[in-house]
Amino acid sequence: MHEDETLDPAVATIAALARHPATLDDAARARVMLAVQTEILSGRPIRGPQRFGWALEPRAIRLSPLGAMAMAAGLVGIGVAVGVVGRARTFLMPDQRPAVVASVIPYEGATPAGRPVVPAGSAAAQVKFVFVAPQASEVTVVGNFNGWNPSAHPMQRTPTGGTWTVTVPLEAGRHEYSFVVNGSHWMPDPSAPLAAEDGFGAANSVLLVSGSTS
Amino acid sequence: MTGWTPRRAHFWRLLLVPLLLVSPVTAPAEAQQPSLLSRLDASSRYQIEVLMDSAARLGLPPEALMSKTLEGISKGAPGSRIVQVVRRHFASLREARAALGVDITLDELSAAAGALQAGVPRTSLAALHTNRKGSSILMPLVVLSDLVSRGVPPDDASSAIVSLTQRGALDSDFAGLRRGVETDILSGASPVTALDRRTREFPGRGAPGARIPVVPTPPRQETPSSTQ
């Protein structure tokens, strides 16, 4: 049975017309073939007009000596700027000596106040500063490890009351630090060694972070 | 498809010329400092920069001077005072370098400079370095500065620490000494007496396993820092 016999007469008429090949004039055929051959020779996929196609085309750039020097100076300037940024960052962390830190050399202050605590067996120098100040409204730890910036490491009050803590990653080496209570009172760590007089009338404490203890 | 038209050349000029003009002056060192540094007046800032430059030329760590500067700013010291303290710190670093040479770490140098500022004689630093040849002098220096800060005269503290290094004391011995002296001072002993007693108790490292006796720390006393 022929399949057209099952179709709607209107659909059958359309199908019969579609089976006949479309006839093109010779000019149209020539235009299509020329376009296809051009794309094949250029090696590019057949695409429509591109807005930024000019940016992808290779071209020879001609520069005057002055222009070339200006461009070179610009590249050097960018390098200097990047270098300056990197150098300036060292001021924030004065001790940049790379080290694998295993523990803090303990100064074993048995008092709970102000004692930096290093988790036992910790391979990283995540130093936990503890300070007891029940009536304080704000406590921060400042030192050469944070550029003496009081807002860098605010301490958190423990749920039980007057103990304030903060954990700070520290590199191996000698660190001077102090606690700032209520934004204005500078206090050394009562259980740590004291540094030499600081010249500003407020004593600092010293913390040694080392990869090994003796 | 398209060429290097004057319009596009103008586009690239507009893009590159500002970049060339801006890049050499982008981000001077001061702009990268913490906002603390902006609080320092221009004159003091200039003097600090000169000192830092001098330190770098002498092989001393300029970042130590920058840290001291930031410390002073953060503590609210006036610019003139900060410059004075930084200049003194610079001199101490230079003197410590002269006493200890170049075979020390940055931390040892900073600690030695602090000890000098505390009044420790330069000859003591050299003796310390000689006695601990091959070992770090960081811990002895830290304990030395701590003893002076607690009231022990610099000469007495220096003599005791140098003596201990001659007798082979280890870092743990110095830590024990510091704890013991602090305990005795809190118990009412004078700093000199406490140091003398604790030093005499050290038997020397000739005896295997010998250590400075560790006195149990008494219950913590109320200090101003814990009663805020």
Side-chain angles (χ1 to χ4, degrees), chain A residues 95-119:
Chain A
D95 189 353
Q96 291 290 309
R97 185 177 57 176
V100 177
V101 179
S103 64
V104 164
I105 295 177
Y107 279 101
E108 299 100 7
T111 60
R115 179 177 48 164
V117 178
V118 175

Side-chain angles (χ1 to χ4, degrees), chain B residues 90-128:
Chain B
F90 170 64
S92 298
L93 286 170
R94 190 167 53 183
E95 188 176 357
R97 174 71 81 195
L100 300 174
V102 295
D103 188 25
I104 55 172
T105 65
L106 171 61
D107 287 327
E108 290 171 317
L109 183 67
S110 296
L116 286 171
Q117 289 180 33
V120 171
R122 177 174 163 173
T123 52
S124 297
L125 295 184
L128 205 59

Side-chain angles (χ1 to χ4, degrees), chain A residues 16-39:
Chain A
L17 290 173
R19 288 195 183 100
H20 293 288
T23 57
L24 298 174
D25 60 3
D26 291 342
R29 187 187 301 274
R31 283 198 303 273
V32 171
M33 294 309 296
L34 179 61
V36 170
Q37 287 173 354
T38 303
E39 294 293 347

Side-chain angles (χ1 to χ4, degrees), chain B residues 50-210:
Chain B
V50 170
L51 286 170
M52 288 178 61
D53 185 55
S54 300
R57 289 172 188 273
L58 293 173
L60 301 172
E63 56 265 33
L65 302 184
M66 174 56 71
S67 180
K68 183 58 74 176
T69 302
L70 295 175
E71 179 186 352
I73 297 171
S74 189
K75 289 180 176 177
S80 58
R81 179 63 180 162
I82 292 173
V83 171
Q84 185 181 0
V85 170
V86 170
R87 182 171 285 125
R88 193 179 68 160
H89 193 55
F90 170 64
S92 298
L93 286 170
R94 190 167 53 183
E95 188 176 357
R97 174 71 81 195
L100 300 174
V102 295
D103 188 25
I104 55 172
T105 65
L106 171 61
D107 287 327
E108 290 171 317
L109 183 67
S110 296
L116 286 171
Q117 289 180 33
V120 171
R122 177 174 163 173
T123 52
S124 297
L125 295 184
L128 205 59
H129 190 41
T130 302
N131 294 341
R132 296 268 289 188
K133 210 67 177 178
S135 299
S136 170
I137 59 172
L138 184 55
M139 177 66 85
L141 287 172
V142 167
V143 173
L144 180 54
S145 293
D146 176 79
L147 292 174
V148 175
S149 296
R150 294 183 190 280
V152 179
D155 287 339
D156 293 348
S158 302
S159 299
I161 295 298
V162 170
S163 172
L164 286 175
T165 58
Q166 288 172 336
R167 293 152 66 187
L170 302 177
D171 282 355
S172 53
D173 298 321
F174 287 107
L177 172 71
R178 191 200 73 81
R179 287 195 310 275
V181 171
E182 180 186 25
T183 299
D184 289 353
I185 291 175
L186 290 174
S187 300
S190 74
V192 174
T193 303
L195 176 62
D196 184 56
R197 176 192 162 201
R198 295 292 174 170
T199 305
R200 278 191 282 106
E201 287 177 349
F202 179 64
R205 275 290 160 194

Side-chain angles (χ1 to χ4, degrees), chain A residues 44-72:
Chain A
R44 295 196 312 266
I46 300 172
R47 289 176 183 168
Q50 292 181 325
R51 186 174 182 182
F52 298 104
W54 60 270
L56 301 175
E57 288 188 352
R59 60 171 55 85
I61 300 176
R62 300 174 63 191
L63 280 178
S64 66
L66 182 61
M69 285 189 291
M71 185 168 287

